[in-house]
Amino acid sequence: MSDRRGKVPTFNKIFFETDPEILMKEMMDDPPYELTLSLEELLAARKKRKSQKPPRAQNKFILFRKDFTARARKEDPVRTKSMNTRGFSSEAKQQWNAQPAEVHQFFTILAKVATKKHKAMYPGYVYEPEKKQDKQVAASEENLTNDSHAAVSEETLWMTHKQFLKKTLRMTLQMNLKSTLTIVNARNRNDTEATF
């Protein structure tokens, strides 16, 4: 097989120029890695987060971790019941690094298919990472505006803010009053002692 210029394409050129769905179908005949999830479940776009932005496309490791997590939960539900995403990621990373090149290539192809589906679902999507400060502000705003997953009115927020200011002012005045009384009492003692 040769291209228009008569050169024989390398494997990488075939790999990157071939439709990923065709490659995936060919690899599914004899996959180098047995999936726990069905292809539909694995390639399904992640659920939207709390923010209004669409989710990112899944890369090869995210797909591997997703399947790894499903397998771990299926094989050992007692141990994995209390595990969080960080725990699964840590174990998945160790397993990922131990996988042969064919498995990495398999998940690369799956990631290309997932990216293709993601582009079809979100045609104008452009990844724009949030800055750390933006994440902190969003988290603090979410904590202020969420009360048992219900939105809090602006009036309630203002009242909460006013109450906070009143409490802070009251505490400051009390501290100042105590300091003033302490000074006055000390002066009175000194004046009393001086007269005797």
Side-chain angles (χ1 to χ4, degrees), residues 53-68:
K53 293 181 181 180
R56 287 178 69 180
Q58 301 176 94
N59 64 28
K60 60 187 175 182
F61 177 73
I62 297 298
L63 291 170
F64 178 81
R65 185 186 69 191
K66 190 176 183 181
D67 192 73
F68 174 84

Side-chain angles (χ1 to χ4, degrees), residues 15-48:
F15 177 75
F16 287 108
E17 289 182 357
T18 305
D19 182 14
E21 290 186 15
I22 294 170
L23 288 171
M24 181 186 70
K25 287 176 184 172
E26 289 175 7
M27 288 195 88
M28 290 310 292
D29 292 338
D30 186 24
Y33 181 87
E34 189 174 330
L35 296 172
T36 304
L37 298 171
S38 68
L39 280 175
E40 292 79 27
E41 292 172 313
L42 185 64
L43 298 176
R46 296 184 310 182
K47 295 174 187 170
K48 277 191 176 182

Side-chain angles (χ1 to χ4, degrees), residues 20-190:
E21 290 186 15
I22 294 170
L23 288 171
M24 181 186 70
K25 287 176 184 172
E26 289 175 7
M27 288 195 88
M28 290 310 292
D29 292 338
D30 186 24
Y33 181 87
E34 189 174 330
L35 296 172
T36 304
L37 298 171
S38 68
L39 280 175
E40 292 79 27
E41 292 172 313
L42 185 64
L43 298 176
R46 296 184 310 182
K47 295 174 187 170
K48 277 191 176 182
R49 299 180 314 226
K50 293 176 185 175
S51 71
Q52 298 301 316
K53 293 181 181 180
R56 287 178 69 180
Q58 301 176 94
N59 64 28
K60 60 187 175 182
F61 177 73
I62 297 298
L63 291 170
F64 178 81
R65 185 186 69 191
K66 190 176 183 181
D67 192 73
F68 174 84
T69 301
R71 175 172 289 145
R73 285 190 170 140
K74 182 179 177 183
E75 291 175 356
D76 194 355
V78 175
R79 181 181 70 85
T80 58
K81 184 177 183 179
S82 62
M83 284 179 69
N84 59 15
T85 305
R86 181 177 284 174
F88 283 116
S89 287
S90 170
E91 288 185 17
K93 181 183 177 198
Q94 292 173 351
Q95 289 294 318
W96 176 254
N97 290 336
Q99 297 299 320
E102 294 83 23
V103 173
H104 287 254
Q105 183 181 10
F106 176 63
F107 278 95
T108 300
I109 292 167
L110 292 176
K112 287 182 177 293
V113 173
T115 301
K116 189 176 178 181
K117 288 186 175 200
H118 186 272
K119 284 181 181 177
M121 287 179 70
Y122 308 104
Y125 175 78
V126 176
Y127 175 59
E128 295 173 354
E130 289 183 17
K131 294 179 182 173
K132 189 174 182 179
Q133 291 173 339
D134 294 343
K135 285 183 183 178
Q136 290 172 343
V137 167
S140 65
E141 286 175 356
E142 182 177 323
N143 289 340
L144 286 174
T145 58
N146 285 343
D147 183 21
S148 301
H149 302 292
V152 177
S153 71
E154 216 174 293
E155 182 180 339
T156 306
L157 284 175
W158 175 244
M159 292 302 294
T160 306
H161 183 67
K162 279 175 58 177
Q163 290 169 349
F164 171 75
L165 289 175
K166 283 181 182 178
K167 187 175 181 178
T168 305
L169 181 61
R170 190 177 320 120
M171 288 173 51
T172 306
L173 290 173
Q174 286 173 348
M175 287 175 26
N176 287 342
L177 182 60
K178 284 180 183 176
S179 299
T180 305
L181 288 174
T182 305
I183 293 169
V184 168
N185 287 337
R187 283 187 185 161
N188 286 341
R189 271 186 257 128
N190 287 340

